[in-house]
Amino acid sequence: MFVFQCHPVLDKLKLIHHPNPSNPRHGRMNGEAMVRDVETARQITAKIFHLIQTQEKSGKEVMSKGSSGMEVILASLEVFTILRFSLSHLMLFYCYLSLGRGRRVGVFVSKGGTGILFQILITAIKELPPSEELMLQLHSLLAKVGPKDRKFGVKARLSGALNITVNLIKQNLQNTKLLLPCLQVLRVYSTNSVNAISLGKNGVVELMFKIVTPYSKKNTSLLKVALDALGALLKSKTNARRAVDGGHVPVLLALYQDWHRNDTRHRHMLIRKGLLVCLRNITNIKLGRKAFLDADGMRILYNSSTVSENVTYAWLTIKALDDVVDESDDNEETDADTENDTENDEDEKDQRSANDDIETDLNKLHPKKNPGRPFEELRVYERFFLELSEDFQVSNFVPMLTRFQVPTAQALSPKLVPKSGSQGDCNSTKGQHTLPSPSVPTPTPPAPLTPLELDTIHLTKDQDKKEEARIPSPDTCTTLSSLARPPSQGNWGSDCGSEGAEDEGGEGAVLEVPDTALLLPLHDPDLYVEMVKGTHSVPQYAEVAYPDYFGHVAPTFREPLQERVYGVQRSKIFQDTERLIHPNDIVDKVVYDLDIPSCPVIEDDGESLKFNSQFESGNLRKAVQIRKYEYDLVLNSDINSNHYHQWFYFEVSGMRVGTTYRFNIINSEKSNSQFNYGMQVLMYSVQEAISGRPRWVRTGTDICYYKNHFARSSIAAGGQKGKSYYTMTFSTSFSHKDDVCYFAYHYPYTYSTLKMHLSKLEALRTPQIYLRQDVLCKTLGGNGCPLLTITAMPESNSNDHICQFRNRPLIFLSARVHPGETNASWVMKGTLEFLMSTSPLAASLREAYIFKIIPMLNPDGVVNGNHRCSLSGEDLNRQWQNPNPELHPTIYHTKSLLQYLAHIQRAPLVFCDYHGHSRKKNVFMYGCSVKETVWQSNISATSSDLQEDLGYRALPKILSQIAPAFSMASCSFVVERSKESTARVVVWREIGVQCSYTMESTLCGCDQGKYKGLQIGTRELEEMGAQFCVALLRLKRLTGLRNHQHLLDLESDIIGTQAKVVSPTTYVMEEDEPPFLEPIDYSAESNDEDAEPENEHAAEVQGNPDHLDQLSDSETNHRD
């Protein structure tokens, strides 16, 4: 019915507004014509609004695509710029915009409605006196439109509407009816930083304080809006200083106390929150924090937060702890490049380059083989591919092996093992002294404070083959504590660096070494010590950590994800706040400090724990005793970097049995962590190891991760100001007296451990296995980067067998480019052990492929306890596009190997880089697909542009069917601009490897499959490495059929990836904190906005079992 009524009305109004369509001013009302037709226009407009308001279909027609209804309505609004139009029409228009779910407002803004409203406001204010009702309706409309218009503040400032609203507020402080919509508009104005500064200069900050004070329960809705506007204004540091100078901080605190006292039924929580937001924004500047503390603000907020469970805005109070805040947060902006702290494929901020539009430019997105270097330069890498030219014309067909040479005890005199003050063998190594860390001292360590010193470890075996480690002790005490602690003051004297531990005349303490030969066939303590002697570190470590010496036997019991106690984060923040409330309870005693080169372990009376991190892969810079049983811990940044604080590995001794200790790692950088979602730290007890249980176990209670009051300098934050550090806190107790315990972020796997494992793997080689170990290159620190070649020996030296041997497809695997991702090494260990095993599947796999493996791409970072970087201070997984042979030797030469293979037409069938992921659960893969990238980017492309072999999905799909920890739902095959310099993307684009992957293993646990609800351990990680090999064998059989359709419907799988996309920054789980803490927005401070998207399939297409080679239960574990 309305359709037939509305069109004539709109057409008639169009004729009035646009009498001459050929006129160049078509679309604008002619003023004189409008004057003649005023009454007609009023009647028609009134009828339109009446029909819109009374008939549902009317609004839909006006809003429908192709309709000119909104333009006509806006044209009618322009009447106000010329005539005194009916106020009732404006009210009707307000009602019209109020209907629906905001779409009408959005269309109104897109058609230029905001500018017309400002024109009406400017015209109407010229009337003397201006119509109060008209001002009321106009500001009500502006308040509704403003939040939908991103340029609302700019338009208001340029049009002059900003000053009009401010003047109306000043003139109508007692007129609450008009004041409320004006404040609502001011609240939107103030979100623009330029407007906020301008308003502050015009005295609006002081004006807002007049409105919000004194305490009164009258007009609470107006007070809430005023506080919101004031909070927005105080985001400006200039306005915050203005508020401090005006003495308004005590006023806000007093007002907050009044509301807290009188709002007993908690009906006005939003007002109290508004006051807290104002205080928070003021304390963003140092002057504000000082004023806050001088006004006893910390105690006021602390008391109000603890007396009532309903008031939990404790997050604000930590902003005011001024005594420990880094003063650099008010420094000038720098031009330092922003480097991200996210995981390997949770990438850094976009690096601007020639490929900025890689996601949207199909020409740049499509893989293009680009060997890069001339073949003559690449010929030198032929020596790493002897298997491609080997003729095996020797007896028994034993290949000539170039073994990975490791310095032995005979090669190094015992006295040349690096010691305090000695030059050592490492001094000649490039990078030892030319690349010192700007933030971490490179001291020569004192005499060892840990039980294991390289020159004093002697292994003996009795008749029962029980190994014992004989370690000299400064006295005759044989307890473990005497081994873990330095000699008494009398023995050490004043020289912390003396070598009294080498007293050859004293009786040595005998330490039983647990017999784990059967459980750990690849571990040998004696061999490990020899490997450590050939490892070069910047601090020149001379000690060995017990866990690396004894080894780790995976526990047989399950370790479930820890259930988080409700309110634990709130209680921890309160405890942190109490440090300022009750300063006399704080010990504030430094007990360990690497910044004191002569003696990092501070001697005391035995009332404090003792810490140490001066061993391979160790990371702890400083320990401060806060309370009797609480310690703040500061981590080292990566060498030659000023951030990446995440990996930790340190020793603790001198504990009391049964006492609960709290440890706070206070300089973490990520905005969230799996420690909030069930992950625990790892602990290794030496007493437990001696008792026959050498293992890392998950431990810790009251674990949580939250933003603290320590401010990051703008330099450390990549030029960004206002960044804060985060605290990871946990509590634990100890079960043994005189124990030595170690804590780690994840299961440690050192470079010396790798060398030991490779040496032991060599012993497993049978005549049927082709194994060659090469040194690809030397690192900046002088450590060798091992390169392994594994395949099956040819059946004979006949031409057919030799030809089959040489033509096997290549699989290229790498791991540990990021030192802190130790789980990648455990997965690689599982892969290597499987490849060297006597299993029929392993034999078939060796016969099917030639494996080129680089098990540790960043040895220097691993040795020195880095989390992400090499000694150059750079993330090596961001250097693949243009690696520097001097600064990034391992990446440069690895890429050269691949370029050589591309030149000789032997590019790998599969490339996979093993990584670890701290933000997501399960094991999953990132791959590369043009089609899925195009779909994700929503760019237009023809069907020919999207022609692509879908085989890249086959390997992940197989893994999802046979590996219990693997999740296809977490996989992504999108090529993002921020990932273009990673190994996965470069190998895909430049080398032309379609199946180029990053395989991510969780640091936490699983939320699906057989291991759902469990934390991941080394057993599961090694199993994942073995299952990867099994998947490759299945891939070989499927590839031979030249048909993937029998396995899965790949097109359906791809479409399924678009079913659900969740937040790219972190694994999604519900918080257990009170819901009113949720509005705290830390996302603006996170550098994770460019992390890999977590694509979750709506459903996984099951493969056809008729074409799958079923593996026996003894060989593989299937998903539950």
Side-chain angles (χ1 to χ4, degrees), residues 459-523:
L459 292 181
T460 61
K461 297 184 180 179
D462 59 19
Q463 294 179 352
D464 296 329
K465 303 299 182 182
K466 177 184 289 186
E467 293 187 0
E468 295 181 346
R470 190 168 183 82
I471 306 171
S473 176
D475 50 36
T476 58
C477 180
T478 59
T479 62
L480 189 61
S481 60
S482 67
L483 299 175
R485 293 195 294 264
S488 62
Q489 284 279 342
N491 289 344
W492 281 73
S494 59
D495 182 12
C496 284
S498 66
E499 301 197 7
E502 296 187 0
D503 183 7
E504 296 180 0
E507 280 294 322
V510 177
L511 180 65
E512 292 187 2
V513 178
D515 186 6
T516 58
L518 295 178
L519 296 175
L520 296 174
L522 297 187
H523 188 84

Side-chain angles (χ1 to χ4, degrees), residues 454-613:
L454 293 181
D455 282 348
T456 60
I457 299 175
H458 306 285
L459 292 181
T460 61
K461 297 184 180 179
D462 59 19
Q463 294 179 352
D464 296 329
K465 303 299 182 182
K466 177 184 289 186
E467 293 187 0
E468 295 181 346
R470 190 168 183 82
I471 306 171
S473 176
D475 50 36
T476 58
C477 180
T478 59
T479 62
L480 189 61
S481 60
S482 67
L483 299 175
R485 293 195 294 264
S488 62
Q489 284 279 342
N491 289 344
W492 281 73
S494 59
D495 182 12
C496 284
S498 66
E499 301 197 7
E502 296 187 0
D503 183 7
E504 296 180 0
E507 280 294 322
V510 177
L511 180 65
E512 292 187 2
V513 178
D515 186 6
T516 58
L518 295 178
L519 296 175
L520 296 174
L522 297 187
H523 188 84
D524 183 341
D526 193 6
L527 180 60
Y528 180 79
V529 172
E530 297 305 316
M531 296 302 172
V532 172
K533 291 180 179 180
T535 297
H536 304 303
S537 62
V538 172
Q540 301 181 16
Y541 296 128
E543 302 167 15
V544 177
Y546 270 117
D548 305 320
Y549 177 71
F550 285 155
H552 161 71
V553 178
T556 56
F557 53 85
R558 293 189 170 188
E559 296 179 294
L561 294 169
Q562 187 188 46
E563 293 187 10
R564 184 172 174 182
V565 179
Y566 178 84
V568 63
Q569 179 173 315
R570 174 185 168 188
S571 66
K572 295 300 180 184
I573 293 176
F574 282 156
Q575 291 176 25
D576 292 347
T577 306
E578 288 172 356
R579 298 185 187 186
L580 191 63
I581 305 300
H582 308 293
N584 294 333
D585 296 341
I586 304 304
V587 178
D588 197 23
K589 174 185 176 183
V590 177
V591 296
Y592 180 74
D593 192 354
L594 284 181
D595 291 327
I596 305 176
S598 60
C599 188
V601 179
I602 287 82
E603 291 297 321
D604 63 0
D605 53 4
E607 293 298 317
S608 304
L609 294 176
K610 293 180 175 58
F611 295 83
N612 183 34
S613 62

Side-chain angles (χ1 to χ4, degrees), residues 297-310:
M298 185 63 71
R299 189 181 303 274
I300 291 171
L301 295 190
Y302 175 81
N303 291 338
S304 66
S305 298
T306 54
V307 297
S308 171
E309 293 184 0
N310 295 76

